[in-house]
């Protein structure tokens, strides 16, 4: 081998070694980057990637995206009710502009004066504990203690005559700030032992339906996601939404799985009334043991307007 041949082989070896190492390092760093990827919010590990993608998809970040959705308008006790049906069975519906601007601002003012505490969750084993599964602050606002809450309860009672609001939980307010979320869960609760179950449900039964009132909408993110119903929506202050946690046999409604999407900017404030199983007129109206049907929520003589956006 002459001098030039030796030099040529040396140069090739140096280049090859460099690329070999470089590739080794770059693929190594890629792995390290993936493993050590900083979570964007506390509790992100509880969110399947597809779920956060759906939450953050700008196309879903408006309501009225589902092809099956229809709007219905009817008059009830001299008030016009505007309802958007995102799912018929099990029902998932949004009620538009149910609460006046004054009701919204009075309730927000009330919350400013109350202490909001970090929220706990009911774990799979039935224990109630703090968990990063939910990142939110909240408080209970009993209607009998606060006129602002009583006013909401009165409006809800008038809006939904198919429910008996004597058999509901007290209004529970929640505030989520940036990074706040509530990972996927169902509101139908199961406790590990009969004693706990009886303590929680003995008087009124499990949670038949969930009625959520909206007081503040996040600037970005913070929708409510129903993966099995193929829906995520962000209602506006003054709106409310409703779904069912049980089927006609009073078992857990599997399709009621839902979550509060991570807040990317701003704050979301909602308040919930959980409607319990006992004494609910809608149960008498449901003929099958299958999922409830949104038709039961609509009075017979309504003015019907399909595919019309109320926003
Ligand atoms: O934040 C939401 O949109 C949903 C809240 C919720 O699911 C709950 O409080 O049980
Ligand atoms: Fe929930």
């Amino acid at each position: 081998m002459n001098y030039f041949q030796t030099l040529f082989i040396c140069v090739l070896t140096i280049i090859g070694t460099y690329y070999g190492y470089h590739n080794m390092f770059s693929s190594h760093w890629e792995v390290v980057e993936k493993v050590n990827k900083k979570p964007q919010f506390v509790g992100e590990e509880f969110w399947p990637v597809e779920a956060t993608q759906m939450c953050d998809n700008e196309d879903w970040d408006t309501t009225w995206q589902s092809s099956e959705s229809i709007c219905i308008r009817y008059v009830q006790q001299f008030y016009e009710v505007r309802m958007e049906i995102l799912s018929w069975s099990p029902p998932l519906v949004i009620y538009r502009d149910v609460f006046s601007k004054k009701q919204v601002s009075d309730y927000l003012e009330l919350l400013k004066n109350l202490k909001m505490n970090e929220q706990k969750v009911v774990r799979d084993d039935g224990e109630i504990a703090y968990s990063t599964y939910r990142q939110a602050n909240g408080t209970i606002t009993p209607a009998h203690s606060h006129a602002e809450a009583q006013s909401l309860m009165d409006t809800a009672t008038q809006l939904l005559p198919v429910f008996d609001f004597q058999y509901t939980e007290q209004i529970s307010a929640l505030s989520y700030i940036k990074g706040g979320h509530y990972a996927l869960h169902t509101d139908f609760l199961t406790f590990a032992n009969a004693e706990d179950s009886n303590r929680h449900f003995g008087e009124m039964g499990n949670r038949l339906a969930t009625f959520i009132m909206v007081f503040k909408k996040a600037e970005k993110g913070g929708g409510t996601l129903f993966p099995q119903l193929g829906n995520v929506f962000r209602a506006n202050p003054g709106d409310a939404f409703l779904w069912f946690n049980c089927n006609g046999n009073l078992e857990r409604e599997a399709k009621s799985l839902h979550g509060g999407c991570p807040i990317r900017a701003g704050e979301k404030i909602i308040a919930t009334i959980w409607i319990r199983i006992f004494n609910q007129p809608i149960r008498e109206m449901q003929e099958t043991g299958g999922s409830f049907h949104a038709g039961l929520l609509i009075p017979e003589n309504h003015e019907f307007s399909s595919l019309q956006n109320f926003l």
Side-chain angles (χ1 to χ4, degrees), residues 182 185 187 243 258:
Y182 193 172
H185 65 281
D187 290 358
W243 74 86
H258 62 279

Side-chain angles (χ1 to χ4, degrees), residues 29-54:
W29 280 116
E30 254 168 45
V31 172
V32 171
E33 252 165 40
K34 270 184 205 140
V35 173
N36 290 344
K37 192 174 159 282
K38 209 169 149 272
Q40 292 184 8
F41 57 91
V42 177
E44 189 177 10
E45 68 276 19
F46 296 117
W47 280 87
V49 175
E50 305 79 42
T52 33
Q53 273 170 354
M54 201 169 164

